[in-house]
Each structure stands twice: as structure tokens, then as C-alpha cells.
Amino acid sequence: MEDIDAIAALQDPVRRRLYEYVAAQGREVGRNEAAEAAGVARTLAAHHLDRLTEAGLLESGSRRLTGRSGPGAGRPAKVYTRTRTERAVSLPARDYRTAAELLAEAAEQAGLDAGLCEAARRRGESLRGSTVPCGGLEEAMETLAARGYEPHLEEAEDAEGENGAPARVVRMRNCPFHAVAERFPPLVCGMNLALLEGLLGTDGPVRARMDARPGECCVVVEPSKNNSH
């Protein structure tokens, strides 16, 4: 019932806009910023943000938003981030997570990594539904967003794009396979990479590669080497 109550908290349109904004930032968000983004008064935003925290959808803390410390730095402000707790509702009850973990355990023990990756690559190609690979980073972001990866653009480290500008890559704040990946990281992350290779293509303007970073998807999408300049 807790999951049902938590998801029901998003029924209010203002509360849902606030939740979606905080979730999309990937960092702490203050009340003033959230209120402005949702187009509501600060007091109303504070009320809904606290309700989302009570429902377990957000976590709250406090820090000085000025970046200063010591006398004159101002009082700490309340900030919010999305909780890492997963919420799911199935009526009647289903337990696909246990099935996925059992299958992953059996595949890992049997050394079926290569077969799993090949199946994942074929599934990605099937989902793409075209022989044409993904046309670029913007198209990749649309494709990944539709699959729940929550992609965002970042400047690449130690790489240049066109005209000497910093190269851009697509990072993903969410891994749709997070729960199983935590228990079987090599197996599931390899499967995820193969799935995205099939989904985006391996001979087009973009490529997927492994680049694990705490709290995010293990895969990064970047321009292919022969298309980066």
C-alpha cells in the first residue's frame, strides 16, 4: 500500500510538475528554484515538496545556497533531491524483479554473458525498427528518453568537438535495470551496453560505450570517432 500511496501523491498536477523538475536536475533543488520552474508561489511549492518528501518520493536536507560560510552567509535553506527508492504498483501483485534476479544468477553461473549480449543486441535492433542507425546525439536523447534512461548532455572531458569547442556526450541519470544491475553488474551492464548498441546502431554518427559513474547508467553515448570532427 505504501507504493500506491506514494504514486497517488503525484496525482496533483502541481505536485507532479515539482517532482518531475527535481528529478530531472540530478542535484539538490531549493524551494525558490522549484517554485519558479513550476510557476507557483514559494509557499505552495514548499507545501507540495514536503508532501512529496513525506510520501518517500523526495529526500530533503539543508545547505546554504549562497555558497558562502561564516557570518553573513545566511541561514541554510531546505533542498530536495529524488530518492533512490523504487516505487512500483502491479494489480494483481507480480514479482518480475525476483524472476529477473534468478535468471541473471543462472546466466552468470552458466557463463552465458555472450549469449545474453547477443540477444540484447538483437532486441535493440528490433526496437529501432530500421536499418538506419541513430542520426546524432539529439535523436539519441529522444530514443533514450522514451526508454526511461533520463538522458542529458554534458561536456566531455579531454575531448574536442567541432571548431575546437568542447565535445558533448549523453549521460543517463537512470538505469532501467538498476535493481538487477546492483547484484550482477558485469552481466547486466554488458547486456545494457549491447541493447543500446542495437538500439542506436554501431556504424552511425554516435556510439555507446561503457563508462560507469556512481548513481548513473553505466553507458555513455558520444559521437563516433569518425564523426567527432
Side-chain angles (χ1 to χ4, degrees):
M1 293 297 293
E2 288 184 2
D3 283 358
I4 294 177
D5 292 340
I7 294 173
L10 296 173
Q11 184 175 1
D12 183 278
V14 173
R15 200 171 298 158
R16 182 164 183 171
R17 289 202 305 273
L18 287 164
Y19 172 78
E20 290 175 344
Y21 179 78
V22 173
Q25 304 316 301
R27 57 173 172 79
E28 294 176 331
V29 175
R31 287 172 168 176
N32 287 340
E33 178 186 349
E36 183 177 352
V40 297
R42 182 184 183 280
T43 52
L44 181 60
H47 166 74
H48 285 304
L49 289 167
D50 287 339
R51 287 290 302 275
L52 289 166
T53 302
E54 293 170 4
L57 296 171
L58 297 180
E59 294 178 354
S60 64
S62 62
R63 66 176 175 87
R64 288 186 172 91
L65 299 179
T66 61
R68 303 194 306 270
S69 60
R75 297 175 57 187
K78 201 163 188 180
V79 292
Y80 303 83
T81 56
R82 179 172 60 179
T83 181
R84 300 295 297 175
T85 303
E86 295 183 16
R87 301 290 184 179
V89 174
S90 177
L91 299 174
R94 297 288 187 264
D95 189 4
Y96 300 114
R97 176 173 173 173
T98 296
E101 290 178 347
L102 289 171
L103 290 169
E105 182 177 358
E108 188 173 74
Q109 291 178 352
L112 300 177
D113 304 53
L116 177 62
C117 286
E118 182 56 36
R121 192 171 288 107
R122 289 197 303 268
R123 174 59 63 90
E125 292 170 351
S126 176
L127 291 171
R128 177 158 42 107
S130 169
T131 57
V132 180
C134 180
L137 290 182
E138 296 295 336
E139 184 178 332
M141 288 186 66
E142 293 179 4
T143 300
L144 294 167
R147 305 298 305 175
Y149 284 91
E150 299 183 5
H152 64 283
L153 283 172
E154 280 191 9
E155 290 186 359
E157 298 178 359
D158 303 323
E160 289 186 356
E162 296 180 358
N163 302 319
R168 297 189 303 169
V169 299
V170 176
R171 295 271 184 183
M172 292 164 272
R173 293 194 176 98
N174 182 52
C175 171
F177 317 110
H178 173 73
V180 186
E182 277 195 318
R183 288 196 57 188
F184 309 95
L187 180 76
V188 178
C189 290
M191 177 201 75
N192 186 32
L193 174 61
L195 176 70
L196 293 181
E197 286 176 340
L199 187 64
L200 303 176
T202 57
D203 56 352
V206 301
R207 67 165 187 162
R209 65 175 175 85
M210 197 74 73
D211 188 16
R213 196 161 75 173
E216 295 192 351
C217 177
C218 59
V219 177
V220 63
V221 178
E222 62 187 8
S224 299
K225 289 185 177 180
N226 59 340
N227 288 282
S228 58
H229 294 280

